Amino acid sequence: MRASGAAWEALARTHLERAGLVTLACNYTCRYGELDLVMRERDTIVFVEVRYRAGGGFGDGLDSISARKCLRLQRAAASFLQSHAALAAAPCRFDVLALSGAGKRGRRSYR
């Protein structure tokens, strides 16, 4: 399962880099959880959560982001910024890149 997740995260990373974002970190882990991708778009730090769902039986990847998950992402992002003081004053945002469908031709949803 972890290898599959890494493959989808790599696909998401490539997509975002082609869109002009610069990767700062992948799979940043701290006591609060994990940040899939930390990227920079111009002067903004972007924390990206990558979600993949093969089918829509339980909703798509966007539906799987709970309030608890949002809190964990916020805490992990704060930890990342504490560890990288040079970035701490930069504007930040959280994005979710949701992938769904079978194989490499799955649908992408980005917000």
Side-chain angles (χ1 to χ4, degrees):
M1 184 69 141
R2 182 75 186 132
S4 174
W8 290 106
E9 287 173 13
L11 180 68
R13 177 181 174 184
T14 299
H15 171 73
L16 294 171
E17 287 174 342
R18 286 183 183 154
L21 283 77
V22 175
T23 301
L24 301 176
C26 296
N27 302 113
Y28 172 81
T29 304
C30 66
R31 65 186 278 196
Y32 303 109
E34 178 184 68
L35 299 169
D36 294 333
L37 298 169
V38 181
M39 305 186 89
R40 187 179 70 236
E41 184 176 41
R42 291 181 287 282
D43 65 338
T44 301
I45 306 303
V46 184
F47 299 99
V48 182
E49 177 69 11
V50 179
R51 295 296 218 187
Y52 170 74
R53 296 292 178 266
F58 295 102
D60 65 14
L62 296 174
D63 294 327
S64 69
I65 306 291
S66 66
R68 182 177 175 194
K69 178 65 175 176
C70 288
L71 182 59
R72 287 177 47 192
L73 290 171
Q74 290 170 2
R75 288 179 174 164
S79 175
F80 178 86
L81 293 171
Q82 279 186 325
S83 300
H84 298 81
L87 304 175
C92 300
R93 75 171 194 247
F94 293 86
D95 288 356
V96 176
L97 197 146
L99 302 146
S100 62
K104 290 191 174 192
R105 305 190 97 194
R107 192 185 90 221
R108 288 179 218 141
S109 177
Y110 178 66
R111 86 169 129 163

